[in-house]
Amino acid sequence: MIFEARGLTKQYGGLTAVSGVDMELAAGDLVGLIGPNGAGKTTCFNLITGADVPTSGTIRFKGEDVTHARDFEMARKGVARTFQNIRLWREMDVLDNVRAVCHARETCGFAAAVLRLPRFGRVERDVTEKATALLRRLGLGDVLAESPGDLPYGDQRKLEIARALALDPDLLLLDEPAAGMNPTEKAQLMETVKDLRREFDLTILLIDHDMKFVMGICERIYVLDHGERIAHGTPDEIRADPKVIEAYLGSEC
Amino acid sequence: MSGELLFWLNLLVTVGIYTLLAVSLNLINGSAGMFHLGHHGFWALGAYAATWLTINCPSLPGPLLFVLSLLLAMAVAALGGLTIGIPCLRLRGDYLAIATLGFGEIVRIAVQNSPPRFLGGSLGIEVPRILMKVTPKTVVPFRLLVLGIVAVACAAAIVTFRNFLTSLPGRRLLAVAQDETAAGLLGIDPTRSKVLAFVMGSAVAGLAGGLFAHYMGGINPLNFSFMEMVKMFLIIVLSGLGSLSGCVVGAFLVVATEQLLNRAPEAIASWWQVEFPLLLALMIIFRPQGIFGRREIGDVIRAWRKAPA
Amino acid sequence: MLDYLLNGLALGAIFAFIALGYTMVYGIIKLINFAHGEFFMFGAFLGFFALRDLGLERLPLPQPLPILLSYVVALTAASIGAGVLAVATERIAYRPVRRAGRIAALITAVCVSLILQNVAIKAWGAKPQAYPQPREWMSVADVDGVADANLYAVKRITTTGGEVVENEVRVVDAGQTVDETTRASLGAAGYGRVYRQWRLDRGWTRGFVILALALWTPVLWFLVKRTRMGKAMRAVSEDADAAQLMGIDINRVISWTFFLGAFVAGVGGVAYCVSYGKVEPLTGFLPGMKAFIAAVIGGIGSIPGAILGGLVLGTAESLIPYALREGLGWEAAFAWKDAIAFALLIVILVFKPTGILGRPVREKV
C-alpha cells in the first residue's frame, strides 16, 4: 500500500464536507473518485495534498504518517496534482512553467545563481533538458516559448500534467483532467494517462464527471456522496450498485 | 556654469539613489508580487546604521570605514527585512500593505524619539565626511566620486536581481507571485521564496540609505517620510512593475521632474505635492503597466530593432 | 489611573467613530479607504468654520442655548459635509477603479488621501489653528456685581494695510466689581457685548464623547439591522453580484455607505479637535491610521468589531505608556505611544489577521 487514508473527516464550522472516508492505493493503481456535486471529492484532494488539515482521521503515504504535512512538504514527498480550474503561471512561458517545478527539492544555490558560477550552468542545463523532454512527451515540444494563455484548452491541461510530472511524483492526482475536451481528445487522454502510468511508475487517483472516461480507464472506483464513501469496486460493480444510482438520480431532482 | 554643473551632478546622484530604492522595491512588489509599503523604513535603517558606525569609529581609515558602514547598513536593513518578513509574509494583499506600512512608521517613530546623543532624534544627525573633505573647491570631485560609486551600486543591484530572477530560485519566486497556492502544491515553499526576496530588497534599500547618508552629510527623520515611499511607488509604477532596468528611466523622470519643478513658477511648483499623487493615481488607472511593463530596457531595444522600419 | 482609563475610553470612542467608516466601506467594497482620515479632517474644519465664523454663540438667547446651538450646528455641518465629500470622492476617484483590482484601488486611495491633505494645506495653511472653545456672550448692560471670571471683548481694528483684524481684549478681571461706571467706560470704548471663555473641562469632553458613542451605537445598530438600506448594505457586503441580481442598486448602496461612514467620522472630527484644542490639515493622518488599525484589531468588516477595536486601542494607548512609566520607571514612555498602535497591528495580523470579531476567510482551491 503506497497510500492509505482511514476515517478521513473534515468539518468547516457546522458543515461536514468529508466524513469517515477510507481509501487505499497500491503502487501502480489507477483509481477513480466520483460522486455528485458537493460530495467532497475536491476536499479529499485538498486533504491528501496537504492543502488542508483533516479534522480527524489519518493519512499514510509510503509508510509515513503525513496527516499534518503541509502542501509543499507533500509535494516534495512525491504527491503531485493538477487543478480543476487551470492554475498555470500565465506570465511565464510554457518551458518555465515546468522548469520552475523541476528540482523543487534542491536548488542550484543563491550564490551560484547570482554570480553565474559553473554549477548554475550545469543545473540549468539539466533542468532544461528534463523539462523539454517532459513537454515533448506530452506533445507540447513546439510551444515551449509560448504563453500558457495562448494555448488551446486541451494543451493547457496537458501542460498542467507535464508540470505535475516534473516533481517526479509517486502519486499523481488528476482533478477533472478531461473537462472541456471533445471525445477524440478524451480518447487520446485515456491512452496517454495509461502510458504515463507505465512510463513514470505512477499511482494515479483521478476525479472526473465524465462516467465513460472514468469507467473506461480506472481499475477501481470510490464513490462519495454527502461526504461519505457509499461504494467501492470495479467499474462493473459500481455501475450496478443501487446506492450509486440513487445518489446520482437523487441529486438530479 | 559651476552652479549648473553642481545642480546636474546632484540630480544624477539623487537619481542613482532612487534607482537603487526603486529596483529593490520593484523586486518585492513587482517580481514577488508582495504589496509592500514600508520600504522607507529599510532605507532609514540603512542610513542610520551607516551613520552610527561612521560616528563611532573615527579611528578607522576613511575608505575602509565607508565600505564597512555600507555593509553594516545592508546587514541591519536585511535583518529588519527578516524580522518583519517572517511573521508578516503569510499575509496577503491589503493586510500585508498595512503591516509593512506600520513597520515603516515604527522605524520613523523610533528614530524620532531616539536620544539625541544616540541617533539625533527629530533634529537629525550629522554624518562625518570620511571619503573626502567637502569644501567649495572639492564639491565637484566629491559628487563625481559619489556618482561613480552609486552608478556601480545600481549596475550591481540590477545584474544581481536579473541573474536571480532568471535562475531556479528566481523562477520559483515568480511562480509564487503569480499563483501561490499552485506553487505550494507543486513543492515550492512560498514563505521561503518571499522572505528571500524581501531580504534581498531590504538589503539594497539599506545600501541606498548608507550611500544617502554619506552623500548628504546629515540625515533626519523627515528624509524618510511616507511621502518618500509614495515617490518610490510612483517610480516603479511609472517604470513598470517587474522591470528592473526600467527603474533607471522612471527614477530619472520623477527626480528630474521634482527638482526642475522647484525652479518652475510658484504656481506649479507649490502644488507638486498634489501633482505627484495625482499622477500616480492616473497612471494606475490608465496605464498600470507603466512604460516598460515587465520587460527590461534590453528587451525593448531588441524588439524595436527587429520591428520593420 | 482612573483618569488615564477614562482618557483612554474617550480617545477610544473617537477612534471607534472613525473606525466605523473604515469598516463599513471595507465590508462593502473591500477597499481600505486611506482618505477616510481626510474626511474626518474636513469635517473638523467645517465645524471649525461654523464655530468661528457663524457667530451663533452670540445670539441673544438665554444661556446655554447659543453655545449648544453653535456646537450642534458645527457637528451637523461637519458630519454632513464630510459625508458629501465622501460621496463625491467615491464617485470621482473610486468608482472608476473598482474594476481595476484591489492594488490599484488601494493606491488610488492613498493618492486621494495625499491630494486632499495638500489641497487643505493650500486652502487653509499648514499651521495648526486653535479650535474655538465655547463662549458665553452677554450684553454689557447685563453685567453687574462681582465678576466671577475674566470677561473679554472683541475689538475690530484696521491695520495700516487696510485689513480688518479682530483683537480679543480682556476687559474685566475676575473678582472685579462691575458697576455703572465700568459699563459706561466699556460702552465708550465701543464694546456692546462681552463674553466669558469656557474652558471645556477634560471631564466634559470625555463624557460627551463616550455618551455620543453610547447613543450612536443603538442608532447604527437599528440602521443596519432594521432598515431596508441596512439590509441592502449587508447583502452587498456578502455577495455583490447576487445582490445586484436581486434588484439592489449597488451604486446607491455604496454611496450611502460612504456617506454614513464619513458622517460618523465628522462627528469624531469635531470631538477630537475640541478635546485637543486645535485643527490642521494633517489632523486626519495619524488618528486615521490608528482608527484603521482599530478596525483591523476588531475585525475589519464588522461594525461591533470597529467599536470594540476603537475602545481597545484607545485604552491601550493611554494605559500601556502609563503602566510602563509607573511600573518600569520609563519616563519617556508616552513619546512612543504612537508606536503602540502599529505594534498592536502587527501582533494581531500575525496571530489573528481577521481580528477579534472577524470571521476567517478560506480560499477555494
Side-chain angles (χ1 to χ4, degrees), chain B residues 35 94 113 181 233 270 273 277, chain C residues 102 106-107 111 118 122 335:
Chain B
F35 198 178
D94 307 345
N113 289 320
T181 314
F233 215 92
S270 58
Q273 280 195 307
Chain C
R102 310 246 310 248
L106 192 61
I107 294 176
C111 292
N118 288 298
K122 279 301 220 176

Side-chain angles (χ1 to χ4, degrees), chain B residues 70-265:
Chain B
L70 290 181
L71 288 175
L72 182 67
M74 289 177 72
V76 169
L79 195 64
L82 204 61
T83 315
I84 195 77
I86 292 182
C88 294
L89 289 183
R90 287 183 276 131
L91 305 168
R92 307 210 191 164
D94 307 345
Y95 287 114
L96 181 62
I98 300 301
T100 49
L101 176 70
F103 163 75
E105 285 303 293
I106 289 182
V107 170
R108 181 186 57 81
I109 292 172
V111 172
Q112 226 164 342
N113 289 320
S114 62
R117 268 170 294 115
F118 181 48
L119 285 176
S122 50
L123 292 175
I125 193 170
E126 217 182 292
V127 184
R129 295 285 188 201
I130 57 173
L131 273 183
M132 66 196 301
K133 283 259 163 289
V134 182
T135 67
K137 282 214 183 89
T138 61
V139 173
V140 171
F142 172 71
R143 289 191 179 181
L144 279 172
L145 175 63
V146 176
L147 182 60
I149 297 175
V150 167
V152 168
C154 287
I158 294 179
V159 168
T160 304
F161 290 160
R162 272 311 286 169
N163 282 352
F164 173 74
L165 287 175
T166 50
S167 72
L168 269 174
R171 260 177 239 126
R172 290 207 283 271
L173 176 70
L174 293 170
V176 167
Q178 287 162 40
D179 190 334
E180 190 171 323
T181 314
L185 287 161
L186 286 165
I188 302 174
D189 182 352
T191 311
R192 196 136 171 239
S193 286
K194 292 200 282 190
V195 168
L196 180 61
F198 207 68
V199 167
M200 285 169 74
S202 55
V204 172
L207 175 64
L211 288 169
F212 179 76
H214 282 295
Y215 174 65
M216 298 290 288
I219 52 174
N220 70 73
L222 284 176
N223 291 132
F224 310 103
S225 66
F226 184 62
M227 191 64 196
E228 294 296 313
M229 180 68 227
V230 172
K231 212 192 289 183
M232 288 181 230
F233 215 92
L234 176 60
I235 294 177
I236 65 172
V237 169
L238 185 63
S239 320
L241 284 172
S243 169
L244 293 174
S245 51
C247 289
V248 179
V249 175
F252 181 81
L253 287 173
V254 170
V255 172
T257 310
E258 185 187 14
Q259 302 229 352
L260 290 172
L261 265 184
N262 282 338
R263 300 173 147 191

Side-chain angles (χ1 to χ4, degrees), chain C residues 245-274:
Chain C
L245 289 170
M246 298 303 256
I248 295 179
D249 182 347
I250 301 233
N251 286 331
R252 265 192 76 197
V253 172
I254 293 177
S255 294
W256 253 114
T257 312
F258 268 85
F259 182 85
L260 197 54
F263 186 92
V264 178
V267 172
V270 175
Y272 183 84
C273 289
V274 167

Side-chain angles (χ1 to χ4, degrees), chain A residues 49 51 71-72 75-76 81 83 87 89-92 96 99-104 106-108 110 113-114 116 120 123-124 127 163-164 167, chain B residues 159-169 171-172 174-176 178-192 196 200 294:
Chain A
T49 53
D71 47 6
F72 61 91
R76 291 177 193 182
R81 72 170 286 179
F83 299 93
R87 296 183 89 131
W89 297 308
R90 292 180 186 277
E91 301 201 28
M92 292 197 273
D96 274 338
R99 284 202 293 188
V101 177
C102 282
H103 289 208
E106 332 134 24
T107 177
C108 70
F110 177 74
V114 165
R116 298 282 144 133
F120 167 78
V123 171
E124 273 292 292
V127 165
R163 199 173 59 163
L167 268 178
Chain B
V159 168
T160 304
F161 290 160
R162 272 311 286 169
N163 282 352
F164 173 74
L165 287 175
T166 50
S167 72
L168 269 174
R171 260 177 239 126
R172 290 207 283 271
L174 293 170
V176 167
Q178 287 162 40
D179 190 334
E180 190 171 323
T181 314
L185 287 161
L186 286 165
I188 302 174
D189 182 352
T191 311
R192 196 136 171 239
L196 180 61
M200 285 169 74
R294 290 199 150 259

